[in-house]
Structures are given as structure tokens and as C-alpha cells.
Amino acid sequence: MGKHGLATWLVILLNFATLLTSLACSYCPSPSPPKPPKVKHPLPPLPPKHPPHVKPPHTPMPPNPPAVKPPYVPKPPVVEPPYVPKPPVVKPPYVPKPPVVEPPYMPHDTLKLGACVDLLGGLVHIGIGSSAKDTCCPVLQGLVDLDAAVCLCTAIKVKLLNVNIIIPIALQVLVGCGKTPPSGFQCPA
């Protein structure tokens, strides 16, 4: 039956519903609306309140002037600029990156190096003794002369001590340990 069968059944049901309502009250007359009473007007109708509309006389339109076309002007030819080759792309020369300079090797026992620096800070007013050599020399063993000097400078800076006062004492201790820093050595900034 499908789609059309359902539509057919709906139409049949609607017809039955209409039939039932007409059979339900077959003897009832349908009411008719009452008719308005006729009234006679004793006066004739009044003329309209607006005056009649008078049309103006017809005046012909003036003739249109003939259409004038502008003269034909050809478009100028398209002129392209002369071919100019692009300049070659110049790459900047290769500049190698500077090598990465790592800080010098610091001794394994940085606590002992800190103790050495603390001892150097206390020697500012006393002077160098054998205790400074005994504390600092074993820590600086195995370092090259310059590396030993740079390690001491770094440790002095880490301890926030005044480099200008303590470095001459540290250089004397280095010499006492058998290390000879370069002449005119200064702590790196």
C-alpha cells in the first residue's frame, strides 16, 4: 500500500466525519441572518463634498533632440617597458659562529676551594702563612697555571669579596703552590 494507501485512508476518514456531522442534525434548519429594515430617506442624496476634478488641456511634448554620438577615439596602444633583467641575488658571505668558550675546569671539591678563598679573605690583614698553602694547593693540583688563577678569581667573585684587594694575595698563594700565572694577569670581568 505504501505512501498512497495512507493518504487514501485519511481522505476516507475525513469524508466519514463530514457525513456524520450532516446526519447528526438533519431536521435543524440553518439560521439565516436577519434582514435590515428598509428606511426611506426623505431628502435626496447630497452632492459630493469634493469639487470635481478638472483635467488640464493636453499639451504635446517637445520633440527629443537627435542623439549625438561622440566621435570615435581609438585607445592608445599598450607599451610595455623594456625588459630589464633582475639583479642577481647576492647571499651574504658565510661567517662562522665563534667557538663556544666554556669556563675553565673547576676542581671537584668546590667546598675546599671556597674554604681556600675564605682563608685568603682572612689573610688580608695578617699575611700569608703555611695554612693558606696547605688549604689551597691540594685543591688547585692538576690545573694549569692560567686555569688555577681563573678558578680562584671565579671563587672570589662568587664569595662577593673585593677582587682588587684579595687577588694579589691569591696570586702569591698560587706562586707558593708552584703555579705561575701569566705576567700582568687580571681577573676577567
Side-chain angles (χ1 to χ4, degrees):
M1 254 167 123
K3 297 178 187 174
H4 297 290
L6 179 63
T8 307
W9 276 105
L10 285 174
V11 171
I12 292 172
L13 284 174
L14 285 173
N15 285 337
F16 278 129
T18 316
L19 180 63
L20 288 176
T21 56
S22 64
L23 292 177
C25 189
S26 62
Y27 61 89
C28 298
S30 61
S32 60
K35 294 182 181 179
K38 292 184 180 181
V39 179
K40 294 183 180 180
H41 295 287
L43 299 174
L46 295 174
K49 293 183 180 180
H50 302 290
H53 181 67
V54 178
K55 292 182 179 179
H58 178 68
T59 56
M61 296 293 289
N64 288 337
V68 177
K69 292 183 179 179
Y72 174 73
V73 177
K75 291 183 179 179
V78 177
V79 178
E80 294 184 12
Y83 174 73
V84 177
K86 292 182 180 178
V89 177
V90 178
K91 293 182 181 178
Y94 174 74
V95 178
K97 293 182 180 178
V100 177
V101 178
E102 296 183 11
Y105 171 74
M106 297 290 286
H108 294 294
D109 198 349
T110 54
L111 288 175
K112 286 184 180 178
L113 185 62
C116 173
V117 171
D118 289 340
L119 184 64
L120 292 176
L123 294 178
V124 170
H125 300 293
I126 299 173
I128 301 174
S130 64
S131 63
K133 291 180 185 176
D134 294 340
T135 307
C136 297
C137 289
V139 179
L140 299 173
Q141 287 297 134
L143 291 178
V144 190
D145 299 343
L146 179 63
D147 287 348
V150 172
C151 278
L152 273 178
C153 286
T154 305
I156 290 169
K157 287 181 183 178
V158 167
K159 291 284 188 171
L160 300 175
L161 299 174
N162 189 341
V163 176
N164 295 330
I165 295 175
I166 296 182
I167 201 61
I169 297 172
L171 292 177
Q172 287 180 6
V173 170
L174 281 175
V175 170
C177 293
K179 308 287 181 189
T180 53
S183 62
F185 173 80
Q186 292 182 350
C187 282

